[in-house]
Amino acid sequence: MNNLAPYAVSSVNTQGRRMIEKTPLGRSEFQRDRDRIIHSTAFRRLEYKTQVFVNHEGDLFRTRLTHSLEVAQIGRSVARSLHLNEDLVEAITLAHDLGHTPFGHAGQDALNRAMKDFGGFEHNLQSLRVVDALEERYAAFDGLNLCFETREGILKHVTKKNARKLGDVGERFLTNHRPSLEAQLANLADEIAYNNHDVDDGLRSGLITIMQLEEVPIFSRHMAEVIKQYPGLLQRRVIHETVRKMINTLATDLTQQSMRNIKNSGITSLDDVRSSLPLIGFSEKIRREQQVLKKFLHLNLYNHYQVARMSNKAQHTVERLFNEFNTDIRLLPEKYQQKFQKEKHQVIADYIAGMTDRYAIKEYRRLFAIE
Ligand code: MG
C-alpha cells in the first residue's frame, strides 16, 4: 500500500497469523482478512440481526450488516486521510459486530445474565471467538486464521479475567498498552456511524422528533445550516442533509484532531503507538457535543417505551431459550450436543449468539408452541 505512515500497521511490522500461511498473491494480508470476513457465515447473518429496531419492524432501518458497512466506509475515509492502513480498518470494522446476539443489546444482556455462573457473555470476545474458532470453512484450521492486528482490533474490550486466557491479543489489557491506530480508529468510526444512523432511524420510526432534537446542539446547528441554504426543503431531505453534515463534521474533526495528537506525541513507529496514550480522538468541543447526542439517544430512543417493550420480549426469548437448553441439552441440535461434552455452557451461548432475530423467534416457537 502506498503512502503508509511509519506508525501504521503494514506487512512489514505485522505479527502475522496463528497458523503460518503463504503470503497472498495480488492482495495484501489485510485484504485477505477482509475477504475472509465477507465470505464468512457470521457476516451474512448480520443482515438479519437487530441494531436498534428488530429486523422485521421495517425494511429501511439499519441492521447489523448495513451498520457494519457504514462503519467501514467512515473508517476507511479517515484511515486514508491519516495514511493508516485502510485495508486493516476495513477488515476490523466489517468484523467488529460478528459476535452480536440476536435482538441487539437486549439479547446480549440476557445472554450475559444467563451465562453468569458459566463465565458470562461478552460480545466483543464472541466476535473474536467467531473468527478464531467458530467459522467452519477452511480445511487446515478452525476460524478464519486472521492476522494478529485484525484480531486485536476486533477485541475492543474484555475483562481482565478473560484477557488472561487469550494469550497475545489479551496481553494489552493486562499490561495497559494501546492497540494499533487502525483499531482505535475502527472504534470511533463505530461511534460516528451509530450516533448518526440512530438519529435517522429514530426520526423515521417517529419515536423521536425533530422538535426534541433541537435541544441537541450538534443536530440543531447543522439543521439550521441546511434550512438556511435550502429554505422550503422537504423534511425527509432536511434530515438526510443534516445527518450527512454531522457525519462529515465528525469525520473531519476526528481526522484533524488525531493528526494533531500524532504530531504532538512524536511517535515514529507502531511500538510507539502501543506504549503511547490513545491518539485517535475528537477535539474537546466535538467530544462534548457527541456526549450530549448520546445522552439524548439513550433517554429518548433506547429507553423509549416501545423500544423497551421489544427489548423486554427479546430478553425473555433469549432467557427462555437458554434455560430450556440448559435444563435438557438433548434439545440442542446434535452438533452442539457433541461439543457440549467438551465446551459445556459456552456451546449454548455460541448457538444462541449465532442466531438471527428471526431464527431465534422460530426456535422459540419450535420449543414452546404446540401447534
Ligand atoms: Mg458496532
Side-chain angles (χ1 to χ4, degrees):
M1 188 181 279
N2 294 327
N3 247 342
L4 272 188
Y7 38 77
V9 174
S10 71
S11 50
V12 179
N13 60 21
T14 174
Q15 293 180 41
R17 299 171 195 278
R18 294 205 287 184
M19 291 266 300
I20 294 169
E21 294 184 64
K22 272 200 219 137
T23 311
L25 284 176
R27 54 180 176 165
S28 74
E29 294 285 0
F30 299 106
Q31 285 173 332
R32 170 149 75 183
D33 281 5
R34 174 208 54 203
D35 297 347
R36 286 184 177 178
I37 290 157
I38 288 177
H39 286 273
S40 71
T41 309
F43 187 72
R44 284 193 300 282
R45 287 180 174 149
L46 294 176
E47 186 174 359
Y48 302 102
K49 289 193 183 201
T50 292
Q51 187 65 24
V52 174
F53 297 90
V54 175
N55 187 255
H56 59 256
E57 288 180 302
D59 291 347
L60 294 180
F61 295 124
R62 267 69 175 188
T63 65
R64 290 238 171 248
L65 180 64
T66 62
H67 161 71
S68 301
L69 295 174
E70 290 180 29
V71 180
Q73 179 276 313
I74 293 166
R76 284 178 51 195
S77 307
V78 177
R80 198 177 306 179
S81 305
L82 292 175
H83 301 289
L84 297 178
N85 195 319
E86 196 180 321
D87 298 328
L88 172 57
V89 172
E90 188 179 19
I92 296 170
T93 49
L94 290 178
H96 84 283
D97 272 351
L98 289 179
H100 264 285
T101 61
F103 313 123
H105 284 274
Q108 172 194 312
D109 293 345
L111 192 51
N112 187 28
R113 272 200 305 278
M115 284 287 287
K116 188 170 77 247
D117 297 334
F118 316 107
F121 177 85
E122 295 180 69
H123 71 266
N124 276 302
L125 185 58
Q126 190 69 14
S127 295
L128 184 68
R129 194 168 154 74
V130 167
V131 301
D132 276 359
L134 297 182
E135 280 290 319
E136 298 172 328
R137 311 189 69 77
Y138 297 90
F141 45 78
D142 286 337
L144 306 177
N145 197 35
L146 302 181
C147 293
F148 170 84
E149 292 77 10
T150 310
R151 297 170 57 236
E152 83 163 347
I154 293 171
L155 192 67
K156 196 164 66 179
H157 302 291
V158 69
T159 57
K160 288 216 161 134
K161 189 171 150 238
N162 284 328
R164 269 182 219 110
K165 297 179 204 152
L166 289 174
D168 56 2
V169 277
E171 232 166 77
R172 75 181 163 94
F173 298 95
L174 306 171
T175 56
N176 193 27
H177 279 73
R178 246 52 58 197
S180 69
L181 295 178
E182 286 82 354
Q184 296 178 34
L185 169 56
N187 189 12
L188 291 172
D190 187 21
E191 213 177 298
I192 296 177
Y194 66 68
N195 281 330
N196 283 285
H197 65 47
D198 289 353
V199 167
D200 186 36
D201 282 353
L203 287 169
R204 184 187 304 282
S205 68
L207 299 184
I208 55 174
T209 63
I210 287 196
M211 238 176 30
Q212 286 176 302
L213 268 164
E214 272 169 13
E215 303 157 29
V216 180
I218 197 165
F219 184 87
S220 56
R221 180 154 60 83
H222 287 99
M223 188 172 75
E225 273 175 36
V226 174
I227 292 171
K228 196 174 155 208
Q229 206 181 346
Y230 301 100
L233 191 66
L234 278 181
Q235 197 180 68
R236 200 61 243 168
R237 287 206 201 204
V238 172
I239 294 168
H240 286 152
E241 276 290 330
T242 306
V243 169
R244 165 177 104 90
K245 278 179 189 284
M246 286 201 296
I247 294 176
N248 191 43
T249 297
L250 292 166
T252 307
D253 182 81
L254 184 63
T255 307
Q256 290 169 349
Q257 185 61 45
S258 303
M259 200 39 115
R260 281 194 288 272
N261 296 346
I262 289 168
K263 276 214 179 99
N264 294 340
S265 72
I267 55 157
T268 56
S269 68
L270 181 55
D271 282 343
D272 290 350
V273 169
R274 295 188 184 288
S275 47
S276 161
L277 291 168
L279 293 170
I280 304 295
F282 298 105
S283 66
E284 194 45 36
K285 176 187 174 223
I286 290 289
R287 200 188 60 78
R288 259 191 258 124
E289 280 193 339
Q290 277 235 99
Q291 281 313 109
V292 176
L293 173 59
K294 264 191 186 177
K295 246 198 203 147
F296 172 89
L297 288 170
H298 267 280
L299 204 65
N300 298 291
L301 181 62
Y302 311 143
N303 286 325
H304 190 287
Y305 82 94
Q306 287 184 34
V307 175
R309 282 180 184 189
M310 198 62 226
S311 299
N312 189 48
K313 273 195 271 187
Q315 296 203 10
H316 286 310
T317 306
V318 167
E319 192 183 294
R320 282 196 78 189
L321 286 175
F322 185 93
N323 289 340
E324 215 62 8
F325 294 134
N326 189 27
T327 309
D328 187 351
I329 65 147
R330 288 172 314 167
L331 301 173
L332 283 169
E334 269 163 18
K335 180 181 118 184
Y336 292 92
Q337 288 187 40
Q338 282 159 17
K339 281 186 152 182
F340 190 89
Q341 307 308 327
K342 236 176 95 189
E343 297 173 47
K344 300 293 175 209
H345 294 82
Q346 180 60 45
V347 170
I348 305 178
D350 290 342
Y351 182 46
I352 293 175
M355 293 178 186
T356 60
D357 293 0
R358 58 187 189 179
Y359 186 93
I361 293 167
K362 246 193 234 163
E363 189 73 341
Y364 186 92
R365 278 200 205 110
R366 282 192 288 252
L367 281 171
F368 298 109
I370 295 182
E371 268 144 337

